[in-house]
Amino acid sequence: MSIANIMLMFVVVVIVFIALLVVIYKNFNGTLLNIKEKLDDAKNEFNVKCKDKHELVLKFIKNIETKYKIESKSFEEVRNISEEEMTSVDTENLLNKCYKELLQIKEDNQKTKELKMFREIIDDFEDNELHIISLRTFYNKYAVKFNNLIKKFPYNIVAKVAKY
């Protein structure tokens, strides 16, 4: 064999090796990207549902205040929640506390048990709450999966190269 043939064979082996590495990288990166997209989608949907929860509580407050002229410190705190605070744990606890207070006011007043508007708000709130719980479960499942993958070879290399 001549040196030219050896060099040509070496170049072909290097090209095949690089092509194989690119295919492997794309495959593993695709898996990580897929999980990351699911996490981002769940986070975005969670943010929307938290805003919906806030709006439902505000609607409930407005109806209670209009109907019974009742005011509360927690009502004001809910009104003062900013967009940035919407998904914090403290905000969620405040919304839940306020919601429970609203339910108690509703229960204390016999006439409200018959009002359809309160029933609709309560149903919407409970549906929203179930959706938030399912989003948390989904997010946690894929966060664990993502974190476990980036600890394993060759995902750890791909994660470092892609800066995950």
Side-chain angles (χ1 to χ4, degrees):
M1 285 185 108
S2 70
I3 292 182
N5 286 343
I6 293 174
M7 291 293 282
L8 182 61
M9 197 158 78
F10 178 75
V11 169
V12 168
V13 168
V14 168
I15 290 173
V16 168
F17 181 72
I18 291 173
L20 183 62
L21 285 178
V22 168
V23 167
I24 290 171
Y25 174 83
K26 287 202 176 267
N27 182 34
F28 289 114
N29 189 45
T31 302
L32 290 174
L33 268 177
N34 186 14
I35 294 172
K36 191 168 179 337
E37 286 174 8
K38 287 180 181 181
L39 289 171
D40 290 342
D41 290 345
K43 187 176 180 180
N44 292 337
E45 193 171 344
F46 177 79
N47 290 341
V48 168
K49 289 299 176 184
C50 286
K51 289 176 188 174
D52 291 347
K53 182 178 187 176
H54 181 247
E55 289 170 10
L56 286 167
V57 171
L58 287 175
K59 187 176 177 182
F60 204 170
I61 288 171
K62 182 181 175 190
N63 289 336
I64 289 287
E65 286 180 335
T66 303
K67 185 86 174 147
Y68 300 106
K69 310 291 186 234
I70 296 172
E71 293 189 16
S72 169
K73 181 183 175 191
S74 61
F75 294 178
E76 277 307 310
E77 290 173 351
V78 168
R79 281 192 194 97
N80 294 330
I81 294 173
S82 67
E83 283 270 332
E84 296 81 36
E85 299 173 313
M86 200 66 67
T87 58
S88 77
V89 173
D90 293 336
T91 300
E92 187 163 0
N93 290 339
L94 174 63
L95 288 171
N96 289 335
K97 175 185 165 199
C98 185
Y99 178 72
K100 287 176 185 172
E101 188 176 328
L102 289 164
L103 286 177
Q104 188 60 47
I105 291 168
K106 178 191 163 290
E107 290 299 318
D108 291 345
N109 295 289
Q110 289 294 67
K111 293 178 186 175
T112 59
K113 291 180 183 175
E114 301 152 10
L115 292 176
K116 185 179 178 183
M117 68 179 162
F118 290 124
R119 185 76 252 154
E120 288 174 359
I121 294 171
I122 291 169
D123 289 344
D124 289 345
F125 186 90
E126 290 172 358
D127 288 345
N128 189 54
E129 196 64 20
L130 284 174
H131 201 110
I132 287 173
I133 291 168
S134 67
L135 283 169
R136 270 196 198 113
T137 304
F138 180 86
Y139 184 88
N140 290 340
K141 173 186 171 185
Y142 280 97
V144 167
K145 188 174 185 176
F146 184 81
N147 289 334
N148 287 337
L149 277 179
I150 62 174
K151 291 177 185 174
K152 294 179 183 176
F153 178 82
Y155 289 103
N156 58 353
I157 295 170
V158 172
K160 285 180 184 174
V161 170
K163 298 180 181 173
Y164 292 130

